[in-house]
Amino acid sequence: MRSFQYSRPSSLTAAAGEMGGLLAQDPDAPAAYLAGGTTLLDLMKLDVARPERVIDLSALRGELGHVHPGATELRLGAFARMAEVAAHPGVIADYPVIAQSLALAASAQLRNMASLGGNVLQRTRCSYFRDPSWAACNKRTPGSGCAALGGVNRAHAVLGTSEHCIATYPGDFAQALLALDATLVLAGPQGSRTLPFGSLHQLPAATPHRETTLLPGELITEFVIPARAWTRRSLYLKVRDRESYEFAVASAAVALDLDGDVVREARIALGGVATIPWRAHGAEDALRGLTLTETLAWTAAENAFAAARPQTHNAFKIDLGQAALMRALLQAASLEIRP
Amino acid sequence: MTGPLFPQGGPNMGQPAPRYEGRAKVTGEARYPSDVRLPRTAHACLHLSRIGRGTIRGFDLTAARAVHGVIDILTHETVGDAIRQTPAIYQGGYTSDSLLPLGSAEIAHWGQPIAMVVAETYEAAREAAQRIVVTTAPHPSPAVDINAPGAETRALEPMMVQAGDFDAAYAAGPIRIDARYTTPAQHQNPMELFATQCVWEGDRLTVHEPSQYVNSVKFGLAEQLGVPADNIRVISTHVGGAFGAKGFLTQRTALVAIAARRLGRPVKLVATREQGFTVSGYRAETRQHVQLAATRDGRLTALRHEGWELTSRADTVAMGGASMTTRLYACPNILGRVNTVAADRSTPGFMRAPGEVPYGFALETALDELADRLGMDPVELRRVNDTQTEPVGGLPYTSRSLMRCFDVAAATFGWSGRSPRPGSMREGDWLIGWGCASAYYPAQAGNSAARVRLTADGTAHVASAGHELGQGMTTMMAQVAAEELGVPLERVTVSLGDSDLPPAVVNGGSAGTASVASAIMIACDAIRARLGVPRDAPYAALRAAVAASGLAFVEELGEARAHGRSPESLPDMYRGRALPLGGVELPDRVQFAMGAQFVELRIHRWTREIRVRRAVGAFAAGRIINPRTSHSQLLGGMIWGIGSALHEHTDIDQRNAAYTNANLADYLVPVHADISEIQAILVSEEDRLVNQAGVKGVGEIGVVGVAAAISNAVFHATGRRLRDLPIKLEHLL
Ligand SMILES: Cc1cc2nc3c(=O)[nH]c(=O)nc-3n(C[C@H](O)[C@H](O)[C@H](O)COP(=O)(O)OP(=O)(O)OC[C@H]3O[C@@H](n4cnc5c(N)ncnc54)[C@H](O)[C@@H]3O)c2cc1C
Ligand code: SF4
């Protein structure tokens, strides 16, 4: 880890102001926000992230650490901890996919430390990204190539890849947000705005180093998740190589609105298989208006992976991703939903 | 789990005494070698090679030197000939590999230490190490693993085992199995990192380092540094797990020692988790070929087991497990062979049950294949081929309780409720699989000494340079002295893990307890003889005898010679050369601990996650000195076995042999949620021959056979026979 300057502003305004000041002097200022630090400090120790200025946002927990499940929407402060949200009875009851995606992520220690905002912005686990001795990584060093293409890539993505980057988006919570059509509230040196969660992450395409559409210095302050007809019939299915403390090999966040056995509406987001949190619109369309059977679930699952492109070691993720989605759909359909 | 957390003992078992150092450990008082604080310590950080095989063209140390607090940077250019080339353990020396630390511009493998920074703080040392720029000329196509085209295969003729006429018997066999298996590279990853602290006082060097063999560090360093061994002391009071990785002297120790000498102040190195993957040895990947022939009633008529093990170019290292798998079952025609495959990798080493885990996986899976082909219960197949005589040389087992273990474990597990047809047991969307396998481990011992002092106030002190790796050595030493002398346990104190103490065997090969307990018994016998106190005399009589002697204390040294070692070998232990011997290496008999492993797992019908639901193991290992610590060792072993079958696997990049998952987030081991019901049963067994203490050792056997029980259960659940470890969900999709 390299030496850096550290500050801990006491409010959102002060934090955004401080970052704004730095960026005004130098638009590429090597500055970073720090929340729980479980991604950022990790990457700093590995010499992947090299900020010279670290702005610690932990004082914002008072202002933006709320968990408010309401009848029409769930509002979550960006600095609420993963563990708090996962354990909140209102979230568990009415927004189950949100609670489950957080509870099944990482370990108890990490969930106690990590914030929601930091969680959706966590970086890929690609080994070649995380080890700077590999010169070729377009995400770390634009234009340098991609070591994972000819390397160990079992964990890499099959959806949304490009010839420039095949790194998987590793998080879980983001799939739940995507499935439930969440909105982000943002604040920054240029003021506040809202953004549909689905517009946050960017495909790698030719610029894998640009991961989000956040403006320079912009902060996530809140997540707003609307309560809809399918919200309570929702779940997160995570398939992984061990029972806990492990990233998804494949996962599915699904939410269903059923009329008897007929699907009125479906929401599907896939994790562990794609370069960004992956909304499976085609699979949703394939389900809408039809009776949910094993066969229909397979059809939807096949549809979700129609565009998948395997690498040397991860072709199985296509079959596995399909199986996970089909299992999640059937499981969601069988949930007892109290009125 | 119901009932007590550990067994309360039984025939030929001692008391389940709690850990001697347990309180110190859970309160943080225990000082591990890197916890020892030395004034004015400078901190070191290694820089490891980032290419595979190749040559260093030059270093640019400008940025590294510019880091505030950097004192010294060691490279092959600055170290000169401060460290001597000495033979590795495999050539009768002391070091875990034969590369000279920072010896030249040649890079043998990815992850080789090529520089070491010393700085005022750990942070500065680490930052500077990251900023070292190395220009290299990489070899165009290093051989990265056991299947690489450039790797060199060599047959190890001395490891060949032969009986009868395998080829003819196999050709004539009514039922035949012919199968190939592979096991992956795996790393021990003990919780405690590879740390070394060195401090010189004049020409005397003290080393604080977690070790399974303080005397090999002492005598090896003396050779490397050209310093009299008497001037070196190695202290290793607590070790936070070792599993073979801390068995012998690695390259780092001499580097830290010379850095401390150059600076005239103590130097401390704690290699990072990632660096640990190449700083010490590991379990090399293997390929194996098993051929079996049997009669229709299941009697083996031919058995062939051949293994290929990865090694480095520098050292020919083989665990040679076929020498054991060919001697476990009655069979007239046997062929066992071992080959090494040398590649551009770091030298492998010992990892918990080094030969038994991979070779046991192959043989015990092959037996299950045979049982399936015969339509025979796999337990019965083992019974039909059980023997009290080793089949190659016709030597007797000192004792063997394999089928008793099977019967106890099968009954506890409920094996009779098994529906044998693959895929026939289900629960909802989960396929259920049951599987079993034999566990075995050679009973070994090495020459060891211990000093016991009985003081007039009725306390006793036991000292030996054995090692507390967390396995319970300290508790065992106190217990043996207490029992032998009749002193209450709480009045016995222990010293260990220090090369100034009477020497003990390397704490490997599950030989620690057998060896050191025997030495303590001899010392205690001598004390009683000197005082004229009979064996079962009450404590009061013992105290009275010391008082009557007029001495402040009575002290005796016990030296135990392992069976199979010559009297002339005894002095070797005073030169760091006490290695375990036993198993199949003896001229007159064979010695094994035996066990049986049973596993129930479930596999999801669609997504194919494999989860172990229950594991039952039963083990007979001679005298159990402490059922509590033994039980804990066996449980830990069984859990390790689950990891070895389903999780552990070092990923190797095919371009430069880089390990791409060298950290504990990506190198998977089981977590709590992976382990549900698990039971280790101690089957009582008495073996008066094996050694003075009657102990066979339980450090490793718990791991053995679990992987086969799991692969057999996967077959039972799915009908798919998987012969490559680890077994992952993609193999079942
Ligand atoms: C071993 C391990 C296993 C893990 N397993 C999982 C898993 O199974 N599933 C899973 O989902 N995650 C997993 N994680 C990732 C973990 O959940 C994230 O590291 C964590 O959620 C990040 O939150 P944080 O508050 O610590 O973020 P930080 O590390 O503080 O920040 C992460 C990034 O977000 C930026 N940032 C933080 N907050 C804001 C904000 N409000 N606005 C704008 N930018 C911000 C920071 O500048 C930084 O770039 C694992 C992590 C580890 C180390
Ligand atoms: S996959 Fe992406 S993150 Fe990984 S090495 Fe390639 S460019 Fe870098």
Side-chain angles (χ1 to χ4, degrees):
Chain A
M1 190 190 291
R2 306 184 175 208
S3 309
F4 58 90
Q5 274 193 344
Y6 169 88
S7 63
R8 187 171 181 270
S10 58
S11 69
L12 177 62
T13 328
E18 204 174 310
M19 186 64 100
L22 290 168
L23 293 170
Q25 279 170 28
D26 170 6
D28 299 318
Y33 289 126
L34 173 75
T38 61
T39 289
L40 185 66
L41 289 180
D42 196 16
L43 292 175
M44 286 168 69
K45 287 189 210 162
L46 294 170
D47 208 27
V48 172
R50 301 169 177 180
E52 288 168 18
R53 182 68 180 267
V54 172
I55 301 176
D56 181 352
L57 304 177
S58 54
L60 275 56
R61 253 176 68 70
E63 215 175 319
L64 293 167
H66 54 278
V67 183
H68 290 154
T72 58
E73 63 187 19
L74 165 66
R75 298 190 79 94
L76 300 170
F79 300 94
R81 294 195 170 126
M82 290 170 72
E84 293 164 347
V85 183
H88 195 292
V91 182
I92 294 173
D94 295 333
Y95 302 86
V97 66
I98 297 279
Q100 292 166 14
S101 69
L102 290 164
L104 293 173
S107 66
Q109 293 90 330
L110 287 157
R111 293 192 296 271
N112 283 334
M113 199 69 201
S115 68
L116 298 186
N119 183 284
V120 298
L121 296 175
Q122 65 180 282
R123 311 294 302 277
T124 183
R125 301 292 305 183
C126 170
S127 309
Y128 303 96
F129 169 74
R130 290 170 57 81
D131 179 350
S133 71
W134 291 94
C137 173
N138 289 323
K139 197 183 269 303
R140 195 168 13 83
T141 314
S144 60
C146 171
L149 283 172
V152 179
N153 53 32
R154 173 182 187 266
H156 287 71
V158 293
L159 290 167
T161 56
S162 73
E163 57 183 312
H164 303 284
C165 182
I166 56 169
T168 304
Y169 173 80
D172 294 303
F173 177 47
Q175 278 73 249
L177 293 170
L178 193 59
L180 296 189
D181 300 311
T183 300
L184 293 173
V185 184
L186 307 175
Q190 293 101 320
S192 305
R193 60 172 179 139
T194 59
L195 183 73
F197 185 76
S199 305
L200 176 66
H201 291 93
Q202 271 185 304
L203 284 169
T207 53
H209 59 290
R210 286 208 199 105
E211 295 183 349
T212 72
T213 55
L214 291 180
L215 300 172
E218 209 166 30
L219 277 164
I220 301 174
T221 57
E222 223 186 348
F223 298 86
V224 184
I225 298 117
R228 307 290 296 273
W230 50 84
T231 311
R232 284 165 92 198
R233 186 181 292 284
S234 69
L235 62 80
Y236 191 66
L237 180 88
K238 182 171 177 181
V239 180
R240 41 187 166 174
D241 288 324
R242 65 181 168 194
E243 188 61 19
S244 180
Y245 188 30
E246 176 57 346
F247 293 93
V249 192
S251 72
V254 300
L256 294 177
D257 177 22
L258 296 182
D259 178 5
D261 290 341
V262 177
V263 180
R264 253 187 299 218
E265 196 51 77
R267 288 288 187 274
I268 298 171
L270 303 174
V273 291
T275 53
I276 57 172
W278 193 262
R279 179 80 179 262
H281 287 291
E284 295 172 6
D285 295 344
L287 294 168
R288 207 171 286 118
L290 299 177
T291 303
L292 185 58
T293 59
E294 214 174 293
T295 319
L296 182 67
W298 268 122
T299 308
E302 272 168 23
N303 189 304
F305 284 85
R309 286 195 41 194
Q311 304 298 328
T312 331
H313 305 125
N314 69 359
F316 77 95
K317 279 196 175 184
I318 299 175
D319 294 336
L320 180 68
Q322 291 174 358
L325 175 52
M326 121 143 208
R327 184 177 159 195
L329 287 169
L330 296 179
Q331 206 170 310
S334 70
L335 289 175
E336 294 284 340
I337 306 295
R338 44 176 187 85
Chain B
M1 219 189 280
T2 52
L5 284 174
F6 48 86
Q8 299 303 303
N12 202 29
M13 294 184 200
Q15 293 303 310
R19 266 171 214 283
Y20 179 92
E21 79 291 4
R23 194 189 146 80
K25 279 184 173 164
V26 297
T27 54
E29 274 166 28
R31 288 278 169 274
Y32 289 82
S34 66
D35 297 332
V36 174
R37 296 219 173 192
L38 303 167
R40 294 184 61 241
T41 295
H43 297 264
C45 185
L46 295 170
H47 178 98
L48 307 185
S49 159
R50 290 298 161 173
I51 61 164
R53 182 173 167 191
T55 310
I56 300 169
R57 288 273 180 258
F59 290 97
D60 179 355
L61 303 177
T62 325
R65 287 224 173 85
V67 173
H68 182 71
V70 169
I71 309 168
D72 195 4
I73 301 179
L74 276 62
T75 67
H76 72 277
E77 291 164 357
T78 57
V79 161
D81 54 5
I83 304 171
R84 298 180 189 180
Q85 177 78 58
T86 59
I89 180 83
Y90 312 100
Q91 291 115 43
Y94 298 101
T95 57
S96 59
D97 68 66
S98 55
L99 290 184
L100 180 60
L102 302 184
S104 76
E106 290 310 306
I107 294 172
H109 61 85
W110 182 90
Q112 177 180 323
I114 55 171
M116 190 175 83
V117 178
V118 188
E120 294 295 342
T121 63
Y122 170 73
E123 290 75 13
R126 185 160 171 177
E127 180 175 348
Q130 284 174 336
R131 291 198 184 207
I132 290 176
V133 180
V134 195
T135 320
T136 51
H139 187 279
S141 52
V144 299
D145 65 17
I146 193 166
N147 300 317
E152 279 170 77
T153 301
R154 207 175 307 147
L156 296 182
E157 291 308 331
M159 285 202 180
M160 182 153 144
V161 176
Q162 208 168 358
D165 181 348
F166 168 82
D167 287 334
Y170 182 73
I175 308 283
R176 284 193 295 242
I177 297 291
D178 182 334
R180 291 178 184 269
Y181 305 84
T182 68
T183 62
Q186 297 180 328
H187 280 78
Q188 299 90 339
N189 279 305
M191 193 77 95
E192 180 197 30
L193 297 166
F194 296 98
T196 297
Q197 297 203 67
C198 288
V199 55
W200 291 85
E201 281 149 299
D203 58 359
R204 303 187 73 83
L205 170 65
T206 305
V207 181
H208 300 272
E209 177 175 305
S211 174
Q212 292 169 257
Y213 198 11
V214 286
N215 278 312
S216 90
V217 176
K218 168 177 163 155
F219 286 91
L221 257 190
E223 264 186 24
Q224 285 184 313
L225 303 179
V227 168
D230 282 350
N231 289 9
I232 299 179
R233 179 176 179 195
V234 181
I235 303 174
S236 188
T237 314
H238 294 285
V239 181
F243 314 111
K246 295 168 183 169
F248 299 99
L249 178 61
T250 69
Q251 293 181 30
R252 72 184 194 275
T253 312
L255 291 175
V256 178
I258 61 165
R261 192 163 58 187
R262 280 159 75 105
L263 299 186
R265 56 193 278 201
V267 173
K268 172 176 178 175
L269 169 76
V270 181
T272 64
R273 176 62 63 192
E274 183 192 327
Q275 292 173 345
F277 276 68
T278 48
V279 157
S280 186
Y282 57 100
R283 194 193 296 290
E285 60 262 32
T286 73
R287 288 194 310 257
Q288 296 175 60
H289 186 196
V290 180
Q291 291 174 302
L292 303 175
T295 59
R296 292 189 193 281
D297 57 3
R299 274 177 297 115
L300 288 169
T301 54
L303 184 160
R304 172 168 177 272
H305 195 168
E306 179 159 8
W308 289 261
E309 303 183 30
L310 175 108
T311 189
S312 66
R313 300 256 191 219
D315 294 291
T316 299
V317 180
M319 300 301 139
S323 63
M324 286 174 279
T325 50
T326 46
R327 268 120 157 170
L328 295 175
Y329 299 105
C331 178
N333 303 293
I334 288 172
L335 189 60
R337 277 177 191 277
V338 177
N339 308 273
T340 54
V341 183
D344 299 308
R345 292 267 295 280
S346 62
T347 298
F350 303 96
M351 174 161 157
R352 205 170 189 184
E356 298 74 9
V357 162
Y359 286 82
F361 162 68
L363 181 71
E364 293 296 318
T365 305
L367 285 173
D368 201 71
E369 302 196 33
L370 178 61
D372 177 60
R373 185 77 61 76
L374 292 164
M376 191 170 182
D377 185 308
V379 177
E380 293 317 303
L381 179 66
R382 268 95 180 169
R383 197 183 311 280
V384 167
N385 292 291
D386 190 28
T387 177
Q388 294 295 327
T389 310
E390 167 275 318
V392 175
L395 303 176
Y397 277 83
T398 54
S399 61
R400 165 168 163 136
S401 311
L402 178 68
M403 291 323 295
R404 274 211 293 138
C405 293
F406 264 103
D407 291 339
V408 170
T412 308
F413 186 85
W415 183 253
S416 58
R418 171 177 182 261
S419 150
R421 194 169 50 81
S424 63
M425 291 172 79
R426 283 198 177 203
E427 267 180 44
D429 285 336
W430 295 89
L431 314 175
I432 306 296
W434 287 10
C436 67
S438 302
Y440 62 94
Y441 195 84
Q444 308 187 89
N447 297 345
S448 289
R451 195 184 313 114
V452 179
R453 171 187 290 198
L454 179 65
T455 307
D457 65 2
T459 59
H461 183 74
V462 199
S464 169
H467 308 80
E468 178 59 65
L469 315 172
Q471 86 279 40
M473 175 64 94
T474 329
T475 318
M476 177 287 286
M477 286 170 64
Q479 264 182 286
V480 172
E483 279 170 31
E484 292 295 305
L485 290 175
V487 174
L489 184 58
E490 61 281 5
R491 309 215 68 191
V492 184
T493 51
V494 178
S495 301
L496 48 53
D498 182 340
S499 62
D500 277 2
L501 301 173
V505 65
V506 56
N507 250 106
S510 298
T513 295
S515 313
V516 176
S518 295
I520 296 172
M521 289 175 173
I522 292 170
C524 292
D525 280 348
I527 289 177
R528 275 191 279 93
R530 222 166 108 183
L531 293 173
V533 180
R535 196 154 230 299
D536 315 314
Y539 181 46
L542 186 76
R543 288 190 66 167
V546 192
S549 74
L551 298 168
F553 60 82
V554 185
E555 183 175 280
E556 291 290 351
L557 179 76
E559 290 182 324
R561 179 160 59 85
H563 181 81
R565 294 272 182 224
S566 67
E568 297 73 49
S569 76
L570 261 189
D572 285 354
M573 70 175 153
Y574 293 94
R575 293 187 286 125
R577 293 189 199 278
L579 300 177
L581 184 72
V584 295
E585 299 162 332
L586 305 170
D588 56 338
R589 65 197 203 192
V590 291
Q591 322 179 144
F592 276 89
M594 289 280 177
Q597 307 270 18
F598 286 75
V599 164
E600 171 177 332
L601 48 74
R602 55 189 187 126
I603 298 172
H604 195 274
R605 139 157 107 107
W606 289 320
T607 44
R608 299 287 167 171
E609 299 103 306
I610 310 162
R611 300 290 187 254
V612 173
R613 248 201 189 172
R614 288 194 299 140
V616 176
F619 308 91
R623 175 159 177 78
I624 299 298
I625 289 180
N626 185 326
R628 183 187 329 219
T629 51
S630 298
H631 176 251
S632 165
Q633 284 268 73
L634 292 166
L635 278 189
M638 291 170 71
I639 292 168
W640 187 302
I642 293 171
S644 172
L646 299 176
H647 305 108
E648 291 198 42
H649 173 220
T650 306
D651 283 326
I652 302 162
D653 191 287
Q654 291 295 307
R655 294 164 293 194
N656 58 1
Y659 295 152
T660 59
N661 62 343
N663 62 75
L664 282 185
D666 297 319
Y667 182 94
L668 300 191
V669 297
V671 293
H672 269 89
D674 290 298
I675 307 301
S676 12
E677 253 185 83
I678 181 156
Q679 226 176 321
I681 302 166
L682 297 166
V683 174
S684 69
E685 181 185 67
E686 195 164 340
D687 188 328
R688 290 171 187 276
L689 286 174
V690 66
N691 50 52
Q692 174 113 3
V695 166
K696 289 183 173 177
V698 292
E700 290 160 272
I701 189 172
V703 192
V704 184
V706 179
I710 286 178
S711 76
N712 299 341
V714 167
F715 173 77
H716 180 233
T718 63
R720 304 264 294 264
R721 183 63 73 179
L722 298 179
R723 303 185 181 91
D724 305 293
L725 293 183
I727 299 173
K728 296 197 146 199
L729 50 79
E730 59 259 43
H731 305 135
L732 291 167
L733 280 166

